[in-house]
Amino acid sequence: MFDLSSYEKLPQSFYNHSDVVHVAKELLGKYVFTNIDGIITAGKIVETEAYCGRNDRACHAYAGRTERTRVMFEKGGVAYVYLCYGIHHLFNVVSNEEGLADAVLIRALEPVWGTETMHIRRGSKVPFSKLTAGPGTLSKALGIHKKHNALDLCGDTLWLARNIEAPAELEIEATTRVGVDYAGEDALLPWRFYIRDHPFVSVKKKKSLT
DNA sequence: GCAATGATTTACT
DNA sequence: GTAAATCATTGCC
């Protein structure tokens, strides 16, 4: 059975690491919790992508600080929620110090708590295996809304935790990121991480390699 | 103030 | 496999 007492909220210091790629890898196997309207949902992180605002053209913050991206320039430990294509909410974890726009995009989760609620939020009869397999769908399943943008991840509405009983070692695979072809050479950076052979990883196919 | 576009998903051919 | 849905952010007038 799932025991909430086995989970420990990640401290502020976790997000202040100077290497966003390192944070992205550390996030694998951790858990995302949300408490929306008193309903708790949670999922294990199985896929992430690192974005670095200083030298990564794929990052929204690369072009500079704007009204939208200013959250990424905050100190680590806040949520950056962005509405993409007018439909989908993407959930990012901001890392590093204030002024350095690093963030980790959560691309896929494994539902572990409140799966009934997730099903309701996802509406139609999506198979269980698709509940949180994708950056837009996982946000919807967890009830993450853009109103949660800039939320403190150490708060009581949206936070990350680790399982104190979970094994420390994971099979981590690193590949190029998805959907950032426009970023040119930066799209080739192996900054996408996922747990090897995990069923909830959104297996991306296309790879226009020459 | 107005038009273009995107870190995606879903449905239809 | 291709195309549409849909809207906040962005850049230019």
Side-chain angles (χ1 to χ4, degrees):
Chain A
M1 183 55 187
F2 192 83
D3 184 1
L4 288 177
S5 64
S6 300
Y7 292 81
E8 177 181 87
K9 190 179 297 186
L10 295 179
Q12 167 73 38
S13 59
F14 178 88
Y15 307 102
N16 291 336
H17 199 283
S18 59
D19 185 0
V20 66
V21 176
H22 173 82
V23 175
K25 285 187 286 192
E26 284 292 312
L27 283 173
L28 288 175
K30 298 298 189 297
Y31 295 78
V32 179
F33 283 77
T34 61
N35 184 343
I36 310 296
D37 295 331
I39 301 175
I40 292 179
T41 51
K44 184 166 82 173
I45 299 171
V46 298
E47 185 178 355
T48 64
E49 282 183 10
Y51 285 86
C52 175
R54 295 182 295 290
N55 53 21
D56 178 12
R57 289 160 57 194
C59 181
H60 285 161
Y62 177 77
R65 186 193 301 241
T66 67
E67 187 60 24
R68 176 180 63 165
T69 60
R70 76 184 191 286
V71 176
M72 266 197 276
F73 290 89
E74 295 289 324
K75 65 179 184 302
V78 300
Y80 171 45
V81 182
Y82 160 66
L83 183 61
C84 182
Y85 289 84
I87 310 174
H88 307 288
H89 299 277
L90 274 59
F91 173 48
N92 299 252
V93 175
V94 178
S95 76
N96 218 325
E97 301 175 12
E98 183 175 353
L100 300 179
D102 287 352
V104 178
L105 169 67
I106 309 300
R107 290 195 56 86
L109 301 176
E110 172 191 338
V112 294
W113 187 258
T115 56
E116 291 182 10
T117 302
M118 293 183 193
H119 247 136
I120 294 172
R121 287 176 180 149
R122 295 279 280 116
S124 54
K125 289 199 47 178
V126 296
F128 182 81
S129 60
K130 293 288 182 60
L131 271 184
T132 55
T137 59
L138 73 86
S139 299
K140 189 172 183 180
L142 290 179
I144 295 175
H145 188 273
K146 70 177 167 55
K147 71 183 176 185
H148 299 121
N149 192 30
L151 211 59
D152 186 355
L153 291 175
C154 295
D156 294 323
T157 303
L158 174 60
W159 71 94
L160 301 185
R162 70 185 181 91
N163 186 339
I164 58 178
E165 299 173 350
E169 296 183 11
L170 289 171
E171 288 284 334
I172 296 178
E173 195 87 0
T175 71
T176 56
R177 290 169 293 178
V178 177
V180 291
D181 292 343
Y182 64 88
E185 293 186 355
D186 288 332
L188 300 177
L189 292 170
W191 283 1
R192 172 180 177 235
F193 305 98
Y194 58 88
I195 299 177
R196 188 197 299 259
D197 293 334
H198 194 285
F200 279 88
V201 172
S202 56
V203 197
K204 294 302 185 187
K205 24 36 175 165
K206 78 176 302 183
K207 182 158 180 219
S208 58
L209 189 57
T210 54

